[in-house]
Amino acid sequence: MDSKTPVDEDSPSQDTPRGPAAVSRVSTARRWAALLALALGGFGIGVTEFATLGLIPDLASDLLPDAYSADPASANATAGILVSVYALGVVVGAPTITALAARVSRKRLLLVLLGVFVVGNLLSAVLPSFGLVMAARFVSGIPHGAYFGVASLVAASLMGPGKRAMGVSLVLSGLTVANIVGVPLGTFVGQTFGWRTTYLMVTLIFAVTLVFVLIAVPFRRGDPTATVKNELSAFRRPLVWLTLLMGSVGFGGMFAVYTYVTPLTTDVTGLDASFVPIVLVVFGVGMTVGNLLGGWFTDHGVKRSLIVAMGGLGLSVLALGLTSASPVGLIASILFVGFFVGGAGPAVQTRLMDVSRDAQSVAAALNHSALNIGNSLGAYLGGLVIAAGLGYTSPAFVGVALATAGILVALISFAVERRRGR
């Protein structure tokens, strides 16, 4: 079936089939080219989001020179707002764009979103003042959640029944690989040639992705019956809210420790700061492997995958808190933290697609809103226990509590679903 020559599906006038019939009309080569193009977009998103973390001092010294000269720590804290503003763009943009574009074909929507990425990152690279760059970072974050949501749905349809989660994991693999290659490279480029060069590099990545998506992703007509009201109906479904809550607190368990991995490595493990990039790469490797295996595992049981991923995350974060005084303990634990959080990604995304019914676009995009809420929640709670004088291992125990809360919310969600089914 996969050996058939693909038809020209880029013309909106063509009567393009949906579902299994649509899968059969796309050759194997084009299917994998499309998945690679979608993953490349995820790679660009990973670089633009996380490379900023490593460039905070460079951004502060260049955009806030007077404040940096007077108090570098305070200026760095102010520059950190650029990270928060990007996350705010993700939270706002994910449901808004996907709801308003309910009838737009997914390929066209992907192209528009990639165009916004190009513009937002280009403006981030060239605008002269802190306030303007902050606005550009907000714009850059707006298409983030919508892109992953729409790309996940496209990938799931390309893979066909029984392989939806694998399609989702392939899209998310771009984000996980970015943590291994893209983020260290983007940080190095920014520190060596100036932070603006990093955003120019990201602009180029998104421009190339736009061309690849235009060429490789098959055209599918938008749903003419879709409405903003139908898409927003996802917010009326308790199971959608429970899944988002599960993702927020569960992913928050990872961010509670990941945010403070640098002082954990230097102050607790006693390693030099030059070892931190190695720790981050190990985390990225674990996340990439976990994401791909998690996609396969989720296709064989979504609920089981959620419990295993959240439970494994809680245990690995606990191990990190107990063994991080040893370099071996630190490396082994951070590898498994990445592995299980990577496995949770496709499981949460697929669960949202299952419980959202006819509002899948909005629900799929909301996964990344939940992820960014988890980012803020975990970092905040981890910072609280550190500020209370409990040490740099204390966020690990916050992470255990959040991962456990994620499991409890998942179990409540399953119970509600069974009751509603009866």
Side-chain angles (χ1 to χ4, degrees):
M1 178 170 65
D2 290 334
S3 63
K4 292 184 179 180
T5 302
V7 294
D8 180 11
E9 295 176 300
D10 295 323
S11 170
S13 64
Q14 175 141 354
D15 185 16
T16 306
R18 299 176 181 272
V23 174
S24 68
R25 298 287 293 275
V26 181
S27 70
T28 300
R30 186 172 185 182
R31 182 179 303 131
W32 286 103
L35 292 168
L36 179 61
L38 297 173
L40 182 59
F43 179 84
I45 291 173
V47 178
T48 194
E49 181 177 19
F50 295 118
T52 302
L53 296 172
L55 298 175
I56 291 297
D58 303 87
L59 288 157
S61 62
D62 187 33
L63 295 174
L64 303 166
D66 295 337
Y68 191 82
S69 299
D71 186 355
S74 177
N76 286 339
T78 302
I81 295 174
L82 296 174
V83 178
S84 300
V85 166
Y86 180 94
L88 179 62
V90 177
V91 174
V92 171
T96 305
I97 293 176
T98 48
L100 293 177
R103 296 186 181 184
V104 178
S105 75
R106 288 171 179 168
K107 178 173 181 177
R108 285 176 178 164
L109 182 54
L110 286 172
L111 294 174
V112 171
L113 295 173
L114 289 167
V116 176
F117 276 125
V118 170
V119 172
N121 283 278
L122 182 60
L123 291 175
S124 299
V126 301
L127 289 175
S129 68
F130 180 78
L132 291 175
V133 171
M134 185 168 62
R137 295 313 295 154
F138 177 78
V139 171
S140 299
I142 287 175
H144 176 129
Y147 177 86
F148 273 119
V150 175
S152 295
L153 293 171
V154 171
S157 68
L158 285 170
M159 294 298 289
K163 297 182 179 179
R164 294 179 308 145
M166 181 57 70
V168 171
S169 71
L170 289 171
V171 173
L172 293 176
S173 68
L175 181 63
T176 62
V177 172
N179 282 280
I180 303 174
V181 180
V183 174
L185 177 61
T187 303
F188 171 78
V189 168
Q191 292 174 345
T192 305
F193 303 104
W195 62 269
R196 296 182 186 275
T197 309
T198 298
Y199 291 125
L200 288 174
M201 181 184 78
V202 175
T203 301
L204 179 61
I205 292 172
F206 283 122
V208 172
T209 303
L210 191 152
V211 174
F212 280 5
V213 168
L214 179 64
I215 294 172
V217 174
F219 180 86
R220 298 282 184 267
R221 278 196 185 88
D223 184 356
T225 64
T227 63
V228 174
K229 181 180 179 180
N230 284 342
E231 287 297 330
L232 294 181
S233 67
F235 291 103
R236 297 199 304 267
R237 299 190 175 117
L239 290 177
V240 170
W241 282 107
L242 285 169
T243 305
L244 291 173
L245 178 61
M246 173 187 59
S248 295
V249 296
F251 289 130
M254 180 273 288
F255 282 111
V257 295
Y258 186 70
T259 305
Y260 305 101
V261 70
T262 296
L264 183 71
T265 302
T266 56
D267 293 21
V268 177
T269 314
L271 297 171
D272 188 77
S274 61
F275 197 80
V276 173
I278 297 176
V279 176
L280 298 179
V281 168
V282 169
F283 174 84
V285 169
M287 194 175 181
T288 300
V289 176
N291 171 64
L292 294 174
L293 290 180
W296 179 86
F297 198 59
T298 299
D299 278 326
H300 291 76
V302 178
K303 295 178 181 179
R304 179 179 57 188
S305 296
L306 286 169
I307 298 301
V308 170
M310 292 294 177
L313 177 61
L315 290 174
S316 57
V317 168
L318 177 62
L320 181 65
L322 296 176
T323 66
S324 56
S326 161
V328 174
L330 172 70
I331 291 297
S333 298
I334 202 70
L335 176 69
F336 281 104
V337 171
F339 178 84
F340 285 109
V341 81
V348 174
Q349 185 83 74
T350 305
R351 174 67 175 170
L352 276 171
M353 291 162 61
D354 287 343
V355 300
S356 60
R357 300 194 322 215
D358 56 348
Q360 287 197 4
S361 295
V362 163
L366 284 171
N367 184 34
H368 290 270
S369 295
L371 181 65
N372 279 270
I373 292 171
N375 187 344
S376 300
L377 177 67
Y380 174 72
L381 294 178
L384 281 182
V385 293
I386 292 174
L390 299 178
Y392 287 116
T393 59
S394 58
F397 301 99
V398 173
V400 173
L402 290 172
T404 302
I407 294 174
L408 292 176
V409 175
L411 293 175
I412 292 171
S413 172
F414 302 158
V416 170
E417 186 177 33
R418 286 195 299 270
R419 183 172 182 178
R420 290 168 67 92
R422 287 197 296 269

